[in-house]
Amino acid sequence: MTDELVRVYLPATVPMLARLSEHGLDAAQAHAVTPALREWYAEGDEEELEYVAFTRAAQDALQLIRHDPDAPRRRVVISADLPASALDRGTGEWGSSVVELRQPVPGAAVAAIHVDGTDAVPDVAAAADVVAQALAGDPDAQFTVDGTEDHELEWYDPSELDVLLRAVSG
């Protein structure tokens, strides 16, 4: 019997990418299309549900950036395909896309890497500065955080990781 693969979206930072190929990604949580998300967004098709999970991971990346003053101000989302047995479906809270990871994500599981382009840096920097206030309910801070959604993250194949790191770190 084979273990079904589940696409998960992991928030990350550029420094976390630098450790990806050698050490994988040691994360406790990710986002995915969960039963709770399906129930909440019943009208959405699979692509829309995946976009919601992806967007939530990008929002969580702002918190990671906020806690790492040396990280380039670019959101990073890693798309990975993990066996269903490697994760728990989270709290089951209505609308939640959070899944708990039982083990580190190996580099070989990475399907794609998504990173903000240079044009997003000022907006991401501003949002990272106020993301805590946004989570606490400050509408002005939320407006700033929402402004990052105007920027689509660029897509990279995992084989492009070294080239990507040189481009975003230099």
Side-chain angles (χ1 to χ4, degrees), residues 126-137:
D129 287 343
V130 299
V131 68
Q133 293 93 325
L135 290 170

Side-chain angles (χ1 to χ4, degrees), residues 87-102:
L87 50 96
D88 289 319
R89 292 293 178 164
T91 64
E93 182 179 318
W94 194 59
S96 176
S97 61
V98 173
V99 292
E100 304 291 332
L101 302 178
R102 295 182 178 157

Side-chain angles (χ1 to χ4, degrees), residues 5-75:
L5 291 179
V6 177
R7 173 65 51 99
V8 298
Y9 303 97
L10 298 117
T13 63
V14 171
M16 292 169 78
L17 278 180
R19 299 184 296 270
L20 182 62
S21 61
E22 209 169 305
H23 303 287
L25 188 64
D26 191 16
Q29 293 184 332
H31 291 271
V33 176
T34 63
L37 181 61
R38 282 185 198 287
E39 182 182 339
W40 172 74
Y41 196 22
E43 299 298 317
D45 63 19
E46 193 68 18
E47 188 174 319
E48 289 172 313
L49 292 168
E50 287 183 9
Y51 186 75
V52 170
F54 176 88
T55 301
R56 289 178 179 173
Q59 291 169 347
D60 284 356
L62 290 172
Q63 294 178 63
L64 295 174
I65 292 168
R66 179 176 152 260
H67 292 295
D68 185 350
D70 297 327
R73 289 346 207 191
R74 295 180 186 217
R75 295 169 298 165

